[in-house]
Amino acid sequence: PVPRDLWAHILPTLEVLDWLREQVGPLHVNSGWRDPEYNRVVGGAKDSRHVAFNAIDFYSTTKKPHELADILETYQYANALGIGRYNTFIHIDTRGAFGLPAPARWVG
């Protein structure tokens, strides 16, 4: 289970996903919080926003990942986001809300 002291960390990311859901329809979550050991096993970055419960990996059945990422770039606070583009899903985090360097973009 997610440690209680991390629960509020996901709220800014959920706000972005809710905005995106209004644009494209249902979104399907692949990954949210990861404990450090699981994050290591799946090859996550050492400083993964998943470990801080500030990131979500997701996909849509109505849009391709690159289309979702392009739509996210139009979000009002896109300059505070981390957006990872993968073949079958998108990573989103709101690192800028926590004072971390943003924007961050990568292709996995």
Side-chain angles (χ1 to χ4, degrees):
V2 179
R4 187 175 282 278
D5 63 325
L6 298 180
W7 287 5
H9 291 187
I10 198 64
L11 296 178
T13 305
L14 291 176
E15 288 180 18
V16 176
L17 286 182
D18 191 45
W19 173 85
L20 182 63
R21 180 196 51 77
E22 290 175 358
Q23 313 302 308
V24 303
L27 301 172
H28 306 275
V29 174
N30 294 344
S31 182
W33 181 73
R34 297 181 191 155
D35 69 49
E37 177 61 19
Y38 181 72
N39 187 65
R40 186 188 65 73
V41 168
V42 299
K46 284 187 177 186
D47 59 349
S48 172
R49 299 309 301 156
H50 288 281
V51 175
F53 199 35
N54 178 236
I56 293 179
D57 296 343
F58 67 96
Y59 67 96
S60 166
T61 57
T62 64
K63 299 285 184 188
K64 295 178 180 178
H66 74 274
E67 294 172 316
L68 294 171
D70 290 347
I71 295 167
L72 284 166
E73 294 292 358
T74 70
Y75 182 65
Q76 180 179 5
Y77 302 110
N79 63 343
L81 302 178
I83 301 173
R85 297 172 183 240
Y86 295 85
N87 289 334
T88 59
F89 68 94
I90 290 292
H91 166 100
I92 184 86
D93 66 62
T94 49
R95 61 188 62 213
F98 294 89
L100 298 171
R105 305 293 187 267
W106 65 93
V107 176

